[in-house]
Amino acid sequence: MSVIVGSIFKRQPGYDGCPHEWVAPPVAVQAISVLEALSEPHRALTARPELWLRLRRGNGAWEWHEVQPELLEIASAPRVSHLLRRFGAALGLSHLDKPWRLTTHQGRKTFARFAALRDRSCLFALAQHLGHRERAQTDHGYVGSDYRLNQEIDAEILNQSVAAWEHMLAAPGLGGRAGAEIVAKRPRFRGSRMKQDLRSYARLLVDAGLVLGVCDWGYCVYREEHSACLGNATGPNPARREPSTCARCQNFVVSAQHRPYWLEQVRRSERLLNEPALPLQTLRIVRARMNEARGLLRALGSDTAEETDHA
């Protein structure tokens, strides 16, 4: 896991300037790598580590030539916002026939609202990630209530569920305990209207109230009485839901699109088993996880010679 290391400046006594770490996804790491490459001449010229060193005035390619160190400074937030607006205009970004004004805070707030409105149990983690001293600040200032956004999220979850059911109804093979049940009971679709019939049946299952959990390692056709994560009437328990728990659950389904995830689990387990310093109990857990992943891969059928060697 990559993190961005910095300091928090919230203008609060005893908190301003506090060291902090932010989780950095791959796209953020790539963006920082690009910024490091762009700023390298300025940093070398000034012997300063900051990535946002720019000329006090002016923009364009000419600013990278014959620059005097004393003319370089860290770009202010208003200047970065101005450059973002120019970038948005160059891309032709618009909303309701009006130019879309990009800001430095926009992505941060949009991410926080989308994540928290979809699962409010993540508010504490969001507050820590954003550097808020109190969870209430995240809830009130970033999340709040947004009826239209809630509608969009519900629509996206509905489309995601329908697409997942379509995939499971058409997949040649499924793994997991619920996967075998679906393969045995699903109708057979044939003829020129097969795609339309598949989608109609998938929508029927969703409208019937079958809760479907979608994640990187598989699907959860949720039934409370079979829930290994000890979920409730509304759905799976997010605190206990993780790959190993799902793998032994009667609600779990895995398809060919999840094969890369489980193959990587096998590879990671094999690397760990080659570590001589691991305690015996850890080795037992790793071996059990590896056997789970191999079992799911066998249920899906071998895809490549490399995978056959691992499974």
Side-chain angles (χ1 to χ4, degrees):
M1 180 183 70
S2 300
V3 296
I4 299 174
V5 179
S7 299
I8 297 173
F9 293 94
K10 297 291 183 181
R11 299 178 182 177
Q12 297 179 13
Y15 200 58
D16 200 52
C18 180
H20 191 67
E21 292 184 351
W22 292 265
V23 176
V27 65
V29 175
Q30 183 181 9
I32 291 172
S33 298
V34 171
L35 193 55
E36 286 176 337
L38 288 174
S39 64
E40 196 280 331
H42 286 173
R43 289 186 288 116
L45 184 64
T46 59
R48 293 173 61 181
E50 293 91 351
L51 299 180
W52 294 95
L53 290 170
R54 303 291 300 272
L55 279 178
R56 291 176 186 171
R57 294 183 180 179
N59 299 299
W62 61 270
E63 74 167 281
W64 304 97
H65 301 286
E66 300 181 3
V67 179
Q68 299 178 13
E70 61 272 14
L71 297 180
L72 292 171
E73 63 183 14
I74 300 175
S76 64
R79 184 177 183 185
V80 173
S81 295
H82 171 70
L83 293 174
L84 280 174
R85 288 194 292 272
R86 289 183 57 191
F87 180 63
L91 294 178
L93 299 181
S94 63
H95 179 62
L96 300 177
D97 297 324
K98 294 181 180 179
W100 184 263
R101 295 171 64 88
L102 290 174
T103 68
T104 56
H105 220 56
Q106 201 168 78
R108 171 185 169 99
K109 199 159 188 175
T110 300
F111 163 74
R113 295 180 73 185
F114 186 88
L117 285 174
R118 188 164 186 175
D119 180 7
R120 296 188 72 85
S121 66
C122 71
L123 274 175
F124 283 101
L126 268 176
Q128 183 180 18
H129 175 71
L130 295 174
H132 294 159
R133 193 167 193 172
E134 302 290 345
R135 183 200 67 93
Q137 181 182 353
T138 311
D139 193 3
H140 182 265
Y142 278 66
V143 180
S145 59
D146 191 321
Y147 177 73
R148 185 168 181 178
L149 182 58
N150 271 319
Q151 281 188 316
E152 293 178 0
I153 292 171
D154 290 341
E156 177 60 27
I157 292 173
L158 176 66
N159 292 333
Q160 189 182 55
S161 298
V162 171
W165 273 115
E166 281 189 84
H167 177 73
M168 287 189 288
L169 291 169
L174 296 172
R177 296 188 179 186
E181 184 180 345
I182 290 174
V183 170
K185 295 182 178 180
R186 66 188 177 185
R188 295 185 179 182
F189 299 93
R190 295 189 178 91
S192 58
R193 289 182 50 83
M194 185 178 72
K195 287 186 178 180
Q196 294 91 325
D197 292 342
L198 261 173
R199 185 161 186 83
S200 297
Y201 193 79
R203 182 60 185 257
L204 180 67
L205 293 174
V206 173
D207 291 341
L210 285 173
V211 178
L212 186 67
V214 180
C215 55
D216 292 340
W217 55 85
Y219 303 120
C220 173
V221 183
Y222 184 72
R223 294 160 293 182
E224 184 181 0
E225 64 273 18
H226 300 311
S227 173
C229 65
L230 305 179
N232 56 28
T234 61
N237 182 352
R240 292 176 175 266
R241 189 180 175 196
E242 51 88 29
S244 185
T245 301
C246 293
R248 62 177 185 271
C249 182
Q250 293 186 47
N251 296 331
F252 187 57
V253 182
V254 63
S255 70
Q257 73 181 43
H258 307 111
R259 187 192 305 273
Y261 178 90
W262 292 103
L263 184 57
E264 178 57 29
Q265 298 311 299
V266 173
R267 291 170 176 155
R268 186 178 301 171
S269 297
E270 289 175 343
R271 291 195 294 268
L272 285 172
L273 290 175
N274 289 327
E275 293 289 339
L278 288 180
L280 181 60
Q281 183 62 27
T282 302
L283 291 173
R284 287 173 178 168
I285 295 172
V286 171
R287 191 171 289 110
R289 297 289 175 90
M290 182 175 67
N291 289 336
E292 286 174 353
R294 283 178 168 174
L296 290 169
L297 289 171
R298 282 194 296 269
L300 292 174
S302 190
D303 192 45
T304 63
E306 179 189 7
E307 186 173 310
T308 302
D309 293 338
H310 283 283

